[in-house]
Amino acid sequence: MSSQKTERLINLTLALLATKRYLTKSEIFKNVTGYSGSAETMERMFERDKDELRSMGIEIDVKGLDPLFEDDQGYLIKSETFQLKGNEFAKDELFYLTMAANLWQSTALDSDSKAALLKIQSLSGPIESDVVNTPEIRDNENSSMLTTAFDAIEKSKVLTFQYNGSTRIVEPLGMYTKAGFWYLVAKDEESFKSFKLLRIEGKLTSNGKQNGFKKPENFDLMHYLEGLNKEEVIRAEILVRKEQAFALRSKYAASDFDEEWDLMVLPYKYEPEIIETLLWHGENVIVIKPESLRNTIKVSLKEFIND
Amino acid sequence: MIDTAAVRALRTMDLIPYILENPGVSIRSLSERFSVTEKQIESDLQLIFMCGLPGYTPYELIDIVFEEGIVSVIDPQVLDKPRRFNKSELIVIALGLEILIDISVSNPERLQKLKALSEKITKLGSSNSVTFAPSEKNSIFSDLITDAISKRKNIRIKYSSLVKDQVTQREVTPQSLYFMNGSLYLSAYDLSKKSDRIFKVSLITQCEITGNSHNESENEIRDSIRVVLSVKKSYRNFIERNSSIISTVIEKKEFFEVNIDINNVEWLKRSILSNAPGISVVTPTSLANEIRQSATSLLALYQAEK
């Protein structure tokens, strides 16, 4: 890596950021330190520098300076696209931004969290507060997989991966995090599906082609998630042994059933989830209705005992 | 990320507003914050001495003071503010704000500010393709616990233990809060048990700050036992949720063999029963028999007509 090139990139950025008017190439070559050699060499250097800065997310604005000569273009970096404003966030907002970014410090999003914190602290200075005592998230995700997925969604790149023993080639549309796990929402063979990132076997590969597919106009992530939660709510009638199952009692009302048991009604959407909750309490909870739930529990217990 | 000239240029430009806002920061602290060596930070700072605005007279160069491991910026030229957040940073912030909103229901003033800030971040270009789906209602006490941690105060809690199925009153020294599998947990020192304990915050039904905390470090030693489990592939959720306490996982044709060192056997017994018939104990057989007995007693209750 060349220090001269780094120095030139910084000087070019500063010059384009400081100027009030668009700078032509000849002005840049004349005034910005680091450009030397033949006109052709300087031209190549400038084109490469411009591409590298753009690839790092810096927006270089280009404007034709003379309508008669298309080649005579000017360059400038608008401050508002490059820098945050000093008054963009109030002091308490900076505090909340710190808390929000801080949450992800021990996760697969650690590097983005760190980068965001650096920028926040470049506006706020050291936060003298109890930020360090705010919660943090602990996960087991793979950061390169998350980065690949984010990038593929942003740039509409097709993703390929192994899932449940088969190869999936999907069009990624969004991601969500639920109960500590990340899910990729993608179009797979004409339908929208969720894939738990942790279950992707091996590598998540993007084919690298930007705009490799067209996002369906009717797709909205929030709408899709609402659809996932739309399942009908079923009510289970259960018996809870008196003076037991305190966690259930703290959430749901119980009425007297007989000397030994209380009656409770529990709403649920997914049978496996309610079964897990009820079996946790062992002999202190029995399902009365619905019959299907009762039967599933009986079958599960028989299978477990005979296993 | 590979340290190309462009990556280094951005880092060097990011150093200036950071140092400007944190004057007198040490090279060591900068190396930690920017995740590079101290030598690299020194080299970046040497480079920035040469940079500035066209003209490049001393008045147009970036001016920093850099001695005995301490740095301050005298003249940042145009680099007086940090670069804008990129897409990934905005995603991290936006998701973090959604989580803070989710745990701030008991504080309407904070909730309102967080919602307004979240909208502001969305307008800055945060992706609407990435979101947070709340999974369970978290406790109304997270603010109070955070407060106790920062003020080094003890708290008295009423806790509905899922594992022991008991409601207990405890006085604890709160140490940290963390999210795992979508739930908020409190790590604390239990003053009566003289031991570190983990509490699921949503199961705390009462909470109040008591006296100042003391640094009691004497922890009772709890023996752990090694348990080998057979987990059917369709029950792999158990492995994913508990990966932090699982020692090894060996994939077999139809199941996973899971080794787990555990001192809370009651928790494991309940977890296995609640996942029936997906998980079975391979060793120790005494534990396998105990859980099978519980399942048999429960089945007998189902078979008796109620």
Side-chain angles (χ1 to χ4, degrees):
Chain A
M1 182 187 51
S2 141
S3 283
Q4 283 172 342
K5 184 173 178 186
T6 309
E7 193 182 325
R8 192 176 70 236
L9 287 171
I10 296 173
N11 283 327
L12 175 62
T13 308
L14 294 183
L16 295 179
L17 191 58
T19 182
K20 297 277 182 280
R21 59 176 182 81
Y22 287 81
L23 296 180
T24 62
K25 275 188 214 170
S26 57
E27 283 173 314
I28 291 167
F29 298 157
K30 191 176 157 199
N31 296 315
V32 176
T33 189
Y35 289 98
S36 58
S38 67
E40 198 185 330
T41 308
M42 288 195 289
E43 181 88 21
R44 274 207 308 269
M45 283 163 100
F46 177 68
E47 288 305 318
R48 272 203 301 265
D49 291 350
K50 202 156 50 82
D51 289 347
E52 281 195 49
L53 291 175
R54 280 181 172 153
S55 74
M56 302 299 288
I58 297 178
E59 288 179 34
I60 300 175
D61 208 36
V62 187
K63 191 179 178 186
L65 296 180
D66 187 336
L68 298 176
F69 296 94
E70 278 185 15
D71 288 345
D72 199 8
Q73 291 183 317
Y75 301 87
L76 170 148
I77 296 173
K78 289 179 179 161
S79 171
E80 63 269 27
T81 66
F82 182 83
Q83 288 169 304
L84 290 164
K85 291 179 210 140
N87 58 357
E88 194 145 343
F89 298 103
K91 202 172 173 185
D92 57 350
E93 288 181 323
L94 288 169
F95 173 73
Y96 292 132
L97 289 178
T98 306
M99 281 175 79
N102 220 35
L103 276 166
W104 303 97
Q105 286 258 42
S106 308
T107 72
L109 297 175
D110 169 55
S111 60
D112 291 318
S113 155
K114 257 186 148 178
L117 280 169
L118 273 177
K119 290 177 181 173
I120 298 163
Q121 286 160 2
S122 299
L123 281 174
S124 69
I127 294 267
E128 290 167 12
S129 70
D130 53 0
V131 159
V132 285
N133 297 322
T134 56
E136 60 174 40
I137 296 165
R138 297 181 187 176
D139 73 3
N140 301 297
E141 300 288 354
N142 174 325
S143 63
S144 71
M145 212 179 256
L146 275 179
T147 312
T148 305
F150 285 159
D151 184 63
I153 292 163
E154 276 313 308
K155 295 175 181 161
S156 298
K157 293 178 182 175
V158 170
L159 284 171
T160 307
F161 54 89
Q162 291 287 318
Y163 199 84
N164 278 346
S166 64
T167 303
R168 310 295 177 104
I169 301 169
V170 304
E171 297 173 357
L173 303 170
M175 289 189 75
Y176 64 95
T177 172
K178 186 179 180 188
F181 295 100
W182 281 97
Y183 296 82
L184 169 72
V185 181
K187 193 173 163 197
D188 180 23
E189 294 176 346
E190 298 309 311
S191 62
F192 300 125
K193 291 179 187 166
S194 279
F195 299 93
K196 196 173 191 175
L197 230 56
L198 204 65
R199 291 192 182 173
I200 290 176
E201 297 149 20
K203 276 182 83 175
L204 181 66
T205 315
S206 106
N207 72 358
K209 213 167 101 187
Q210 204 160 320
N211 300 320
F213 63 91
K214 196 166 177 267
K215 283 187 180 161
E217 279 171 17
N218 58 350
F219 181 82
D220 177 80
L221 182 62
M222 297 312 288
H223 192 68
Y224 172 80
L225 291 179
E226 279 165 20
L228 287 182
N229 289 323
K230 260 190 187 153
E231 275 83 358
E232 191 192 348
V233 176
I234 308 164
R235 291 183 196 284
E237 272 183 35
I238 63 167
L239 292 181
V240 181
R241 203 181 289 274
K242 288 199 188 289
E243 299 299 316
Q244 300 294 333
F246 289 102
L248 286 180
R249 287 174 188 277
S250 68
K251 286 185 186 166
Y252 307 102
S255 59
D256 204 37
F257 182 75
D258 63 18
E259 281 184 359
E260 196 183 352
W261 302 92
D262 286 333
L263 183 68
M264 195 181 270
V265 177
L266 252 71
Y268 70 97
K269 286 179 182 174
Y270 309 105
E271 203 173 66
E273 274 181 22
I274 188 83
I275 290 176
E276 196 177 339
T277 304
L278 299 174
L279 287 180
W280 177 270
H281 297 279
E283 295 164 62
N284 293 324
V285 170
I286 324 168
V287 176
I288 305 182
K289 285 181 191 167
E291 195 58 34
S292 58
L293 179 61
R294 213 177 132 81
N295 282 336
T296 312
I297 290 179
K298 278 171 26 186
V299 169
S300 299
L301 289 171
K302 278 181 194 163
E303 196 181 324
F304 178 76
I305 293 163
N306 297 326
D307 206 6
Chain B
M1 192 184 276
I2 302 161
D3 212 16
T4 61
V7 169
R8 190 179 172 205
L10 286 194
R11 181 179 62 239
T12 307
M13 288 191 279
D14 286 347
L15 275 167
I16 299 304
Y18 184 83
I19 299 168
L20 187 67
E21 201 58 44
N22 298 270
V25 64
S26 68
I27 300 284
R28 175 179 291 186
S29 169
L30 288 173
S31 91
E32 284 165 7
R33 299 269 174 191
F34 285 79
S35 305
V36 289
T37 62
E38 289 182 41
K39 203 174 161 199
Q40 184 61 61
I41 291 287
E42 284 176 14
S43 168
D44 291 346
L45 292 172
Q46 297 284 3
L47 181 74
I48 205 84
F49 270 121
M50 317 286 182
C51 299
L53 299 176
Y56 304 103
T57 68
Y59 299 107
E60 284 136 350
L61 291 176
I62 290 170
D63 193 6
I64 58 174
V65 181
F66 163 35
E67 55 187 21
E68 293 181 9
I70 302 290
V71 198
S72 295
V73 171
I74 307 297
D75 189 345
Q77 298 300 342
V78 283
L79 295 178
D80 57 342
K81 295 288 172 284
R83 282 185 299 130
R84 301 199 78 78
F85 298 115
N86 66 26
K87 279 268 182 207
S88 307
E89 292 157 5
L90 284 171
I91 286 173
V92 164
I93 293 171
L95 286 175
L97 288 172
E98 286 183 53
I99 291 171
L100 292 177
I101 287 169
D102 194 48
I103 62 169
S104 300
V105 282
S106 63
N107 188 334
E109 192 191 348
R110 174 191 277 197
L111 192 64
Q112 197 186 357
K113 283 183 178 173
L114 284 168
K115 282 183 176 171
L117 183 57
S118 177
E119 277 173 29
K120 202 167 174 178
I121 290 294
T122 305
K123 282 182 192 153
L124 284 183
S126 165
S127 170
N128 56 6
S129 302
V130 182
T131 191
F132 162 75
S135 52
E136 81 171 57
K137 282 280 161 254
N138 282 302
S139 166
I140 54 171
F141 299 118
S142 52
D143 269 2
L144 195 138
I145 297 170
T146 306
D147 195 33
I149 294 171
S150 60
K151 290 178 179 157
R152 297 177 192 279
K153 299 275 188 187
N154 290 335
I155 51 174
R156 187 176 296 119
I157 58 171
K158 195 171 176 185
Y159 187 68
S160 292
S161 167
L162 260 178
V163 177
K164 292 185 178 159
D165 201 5
Q166 287 173 345
V167 179
T168 52
Q169 292 259 13
R170 299 148 185 254
E171 189 165 1
V172 301
T173 304
Q175 286 155 349
S176 64
L177 283 168
Y178 62 89
F179 279 97
M180 207 168 70
N181 298 343
S183 296
L184 188 61
Y185 290 88
L186 164 67
S187 171
Y189 181 79
D190 189 319
L191 294 169
S192 58
K193 304 273 183 207
K194 294 201 179 303
S195 172
D196 292 329
R197 290 284 192 268
I198 304 291
F199 302 96
K200 198 170 185 181
V201 177
S202 61
L203 297 176
I204 297 175
T205 53
Q206 281 178 19
C207 179
E208 58 173 345
I209 291 183
T210 56
N212 290 333
S213 67
H214 304 286
N215 283 334
E216 295 194 48
S217 54
E218 38 178 311
N219 257 304
E220 70 170 19
I221 295 163
R222 295 199 285 170
D223 292 332
S224 66
I225 61 162
R226 164 63 60 106
V227 179
V228 181
L229 303 172
S230 166
V231 179
K232 287 182 183 162
K233 290 204 164 166
S234 53
Y235 285 77
R236 62 199 294 179
N237 249 329
F238 172 81
I239 301 172
E240 291 164 357
R241 284 199 304 228
N242 299 301
S243 59
S244 61
I245 54 165
I246 288 172
S247 309
T248 56
V249 178
I250 302 162
E251 188 170 359
K252 306 277 184 176
K253 198 174 173 194
E254 287 175 353
F255 63 93
F256 295 100
E257 186 183 291
V258 173
N259 282 262
I260 184 164
D261 292 307
I262 192 145
N263 45 33
N264 192 344
V265 180
E266 185 57 34
W267 171 84
L268 188 62
K269 283 196 268 186
R270 286 179 185 269
S271 296
I272 292 169
L273 187 60
S274 65
N275 281 282
I279 307 172
S280 55
V281 178
V282 180
T283 60
T285 47
S286 57
L287 181 64
N289 291 336
E290 210 179 316
I291 304 169
R292 192 172 288 121
Q293 183 53 51
S294 298
T296 308
S297 304
L298 179 57
L299 184 61
L301 282 175
Y302 272 97
Q303 284 165 340
E305 282 302 317
K306 267 279 170 201

